[in-house]
Amino acid sequence: VQMLIDAAEGDWKTAIMLSAYCGMRLGDCVNLKWSNVDLAEEEITYVPEKTSRGKRRKELQVPIHPKLVAHLNKLASTDSTAPCLCPSLEGRTAGGRSGLSMEFIHVIMRKAGIATEEGERDAKGKGRKFNKLSFHSLRHTFNSELANAGVSQELRRVLTGHATNTMNDRYSHFERETLKAAVAKLPVQ
């Protein structure tokens, strides 16, 4: 994550930090308004675009990590009057061949020295191709870092907005050391 933050500039740096420290999707990051940010309370309140319509609509309140607070305070102190935190990225399409996600992969990840490879959706080779690492990987990292730090699945679901444990499980990738520490807790017989 730090390599991506170091490689990014301007609004991309802000978007990467929002995803890495708040678990936000790309579209939510680039369209987030200053009105959603409470720097005094160190909290971001927003309705994820993916669940913004219909009965699944759910507002999330996410505490802001200290590194992100410092970055946002620096941004807030500039003379910018833009209502959006990432004005140069606002309103742009995230997906597609020329979308923000591909720009992230081909520009930011390459500059950071992070290789990515294409994968297939299923084992039979059917389905659309995708990149194994992408901007969305930051959302997985957010959830996995919390899981590896011992944060309960219930709290991780609240922070990510996942509706089910099954969905949250797909975002939980445990490190080898976390698994070893869990096994070490077994009583010696």
Side-chain angles (χ1 to χ4, degrees), residues 4 101-102 104-105 109 114-119 130-138 141:
L4 292 168
S101 188
M102 289 308 258
F104 173 79
I105 290 166
M109 287 181 66
I114 300 170
T116 186
E117 60 183 271
E118 282 191 349
F130 67 100
N131 287 291
K132 290 187 176 181
L133 292 176
S134 66
F135 190 90
H136 198 73
S137 299
L138 294 167
T141 300

Side-chain angles (χ1 to χ4, degrees), residues 26-59:
L26 179 56
D28 294 325
C29 292
V30 301
N31 294 309
L32 190 71
K33 307 284 187 229
W34 279 105
S35 59
N36 298 103
V37 178
D38 186 339
L39 287 172
E41 293 294 323
E42 298 183 352
E43 186 173 84
I44 292 175
T45 304
Y46 73 106
V47 176
E49 185 179 307
K50 188 171 182 176
T51 61
S52 64
R53 295 175 296 284
K55 59 185 171 188
R56 289 182 44 210
R57 178 182 168 80
K58 185 174 183 180
E59 183 176 82

Side-chain angles (χ1 to χ4, degrees), residues 2-4 20 26 30 39 51 53 62 66 73 79 81 99 104 108 113 122 126 140 142 148 152 155 159 163 185:
Q2 192 58 54
M3 291 166 53
L4 292 168
L26 179 56
V30 301
L39 287 172
T51 61
R53 295 175 296 284
V62 182
N73 275 320
D79 291 334
T81 58
F104 173 79
I108 310 283
D122 65 22
K126 294 183 179 180
H140 283 257
F142 172 77
N148 283 294
S152 71
L155 289 178
L159 293 169
K185 292 180 181 180

Side-chain angles (χ1 to χ4, degrees), residues 59-116:
E59 183 176 82
L60 299 181
Q61 291 181 308
V62 182
I64 308 174
H65 186 278
K67 280 182 116 173
L68 183 56
V69 169
H71 178 75
L72 294 178
N73 275 320
K74 196 181 306 182
L75 277 183
S77 68
T78 64
D79 291 334
S80 174
T81 58
C84 187
L85 274 69
C86 304
S88 70
L89 304 176
E90 180 185 19
R92 291 182 51 196
T93 302
R97 291 184 182 166
S98 60
L100 290 171
S101 188
M102 289 308 258
E103 183 178 329
F104 173 79
I105 290 166
H106 294 296
V107 177
I108 310 283
M109 287 181 66
R110 184 171 290 155
K111 186 176 176 185
I114 300 170
T116 186

Side-chain angles (χ1 to χ4, degrees), residues 148 174-187:
N148 283 294
F174 289 97
E175 295 173 356
R176 180 179 165 93
E177 291 304 314
T178 302
L179 298 174
K180 283 177 70 175
V183 171
K185 292 180 181 180
L186 288 170

